[in-house]
Amino acid sequence: MTAGGSNETNTSRREVWRDLLRDHFVSLDVDVERDCGTFDGAVRSDFLGHLRVSGVRSVDQDVVRTQELLRRDGERYFQVCLVRRGEAHAAQDGHEATLHPGDFVIYETERPFHWALRSGAASPYWDLAVFTWPRDTIQLSDSESVSLTCRTLDGGSGITGVLSRMLTDLLVEKPAISEGGAIRIADEIGDLVATIATEAHGFGAGTDRHASLLRQIDTYIAEHLGDPDLSPERVAQAHFVSTRQLQRMFAGRGQMVSQVIRRQRLERCRRDLLTHRGGEATLTEICVRWGFTDLAVFSRAFREVYGTSPTAYRARARA
């Protein structure tokens, strides 16, 4: 994969295992089964751009992210966990999923979750593939994510089976690719996961008037991001609703209209910094293309979301 390389760490000490998981993921409480015999655990991680691709193997145990741990580290990641061997039971946001080899779920680290991981009869170990994106790179609202977490995605058939095999290959093959290409692929895989999970659970085909109007509004915003005058008021007028009604509709998804517009503009700019569409365009040309009128305002907003300046981000992708 890309720069950073792979690092696999093994431990036979239960007291070290929790620190090892924290180093690769987030702070977690771990309760190892007392009758599991000799303890053993291993984690290997590679990076594909901003996507961390990890293999995790160990003995029977429960893994919990509590509200206290959330307050302690505040890490915001979007994750996919795919079972390669053994069995797992996952719970988050009031949903529960039981997973067998090939099956997978999505979940988030900014809300509590619980995993029960068991090896099964064929092996003393369970084995997982875990894919971790910074939450801000995933195009799902908080409410959309809550509706999708810890719902079983079947690894044995249909489009979810295709995705399961692709994710498994990504872990096993460890493709060598440029930094810029890796960032774009990480984005595209994240979009694919969100789309397939949404479709698999029937949340992409709502037929009521409210859902239909929201889809029209989402399309309108996406098509007018380059207009510097795009605003909640303009969106409301275009769809014959009041601004207050529009804000209530978005509040139902855990969003604010102005934040959605700003976030989508930043994401379009970020992708242009990586693609041929961005080409040799200056930062000013890119930010104006997507509706920003002030380079300094754009640069500050970009750093707040992505943790680096637009210039540094582009330079890293081209390195």
Side-chain angles (χ1 to χ4, degrees), residues 38-271:
T38 302
F39 181 81
D40 185 34
V43 184
R44 185 194 77 241
S45 289
D46 296 278
F47 279 94
L48 183 66
H50 48 273
L51 167 60
R52 181 191 287 264
V53 180
S54 306
V56 189
R57 171 182 58 79
S58 191
V59 296
D60 293 358
Q61 60 195 256
D62 284 14
V63 177
V64 182
R65 184 152 169 83
T66 64
Q67 197 68 50
E68 180 183 349
L69 292 174
L70 287 170
R71 288 192 293 268
R72 186 181 303 172
D73 68 19
E75 298 286 359
R76 295 187 74 238
Y77 295 112
F78 176 91
Q79 294 187 300
V80 170
C81 182
L82 185 154
V83 174
R84 301 185 65 211
R85 181 169 54 191
E87 182 179 287
H89 185 83
Q92 186 176 50
D93 299 325
H95 311 142
E96 296 187 16
T98 298
L99 311 176
H100 301 97
D103 297 339
F104 59 104
V105 293
I106 66 174
Y107 59 106
E108 296 210 22
T109 65
E110 65 176 342
R111 299 188 297 278
F113 59 76
H114 175 269
W115 283 87
L117 302 164
R118 301 296 182 264
S119 59
S123 168
Y125 306 110
W126 48 260
D127 194 346
L128 308 177
V130 182
F131 305 86
T132 306
W133 289 262
R135 178 60 177 89
D136 286 334
T137 67
I138 300 298
Q139 301 302 295
L140 285 174
S141 70
D142 289 343
S143 60
E144 288 169 333
S145 170
V146 167
S147 70
L148 294 172
T149 49
C150 282
R151 295 180 182 270
T152 304
L153 293 161
D154 181 7
S157 62
I159 192 64
T160 53
V162 173
L163 180 56
S164 173
R165 293 188 291 276
M166 185 194 76
L167 292 172
T168 300
D169 286 346
L170 192 63
L171 174 73
V172 173
E173 297 297 330
K174 294 181 286 187
I177 191 170
S178 69
E179 183 72 17
I183 292 172
R184 289 191 290 274
I185 290 174
D187 282 333
E188 290 164 3
I189 295 173
D191 289 345
L192 185 62
V193 167
T195 298
I196 288 178
T198 299
E199 292 296 325
H201 293 300
F203 299 127
T207 57
D208 61 87
R209 182 180 178 278
H210 180 82
S212 176
L213 180 57
L214 272 174
R215 289 197 298 273
Q216 293 175 30
I217 292 171
D218 288 339
T219 299
Y220 180 87
I221 290 173
E223 291 177 347
H224 291 80
L225 290 173
D227 180 357
D229 294 325
L230 182 66
S231 65
E233 293 74 21
R234 178 70 64 85
V235 174
Q237 290 170 7
H239 293 85
F240 306 102
V241 298
S242 69
T243 303
R244 180 173 294 182
Q245 182 181 353
L246 178 71
Q247 299 287 18
R248 283 201 302 268
M249 292 169 68
F250 273 70
R253 302 195 301 188
Q255 298 174 320
M256 294 178 62
V257 183
S258 58
Q259 291 176 342
V260 169
I261 293 171
R262 176 177 175 272
R263 185 66 182 83
Q264 289 192 19
R265 281 174 168 162
L266 286 171
E267 183 62 13
R268 296 295 183 90
C269 291
R270 183 183 73 85
R271 295 193 180 200

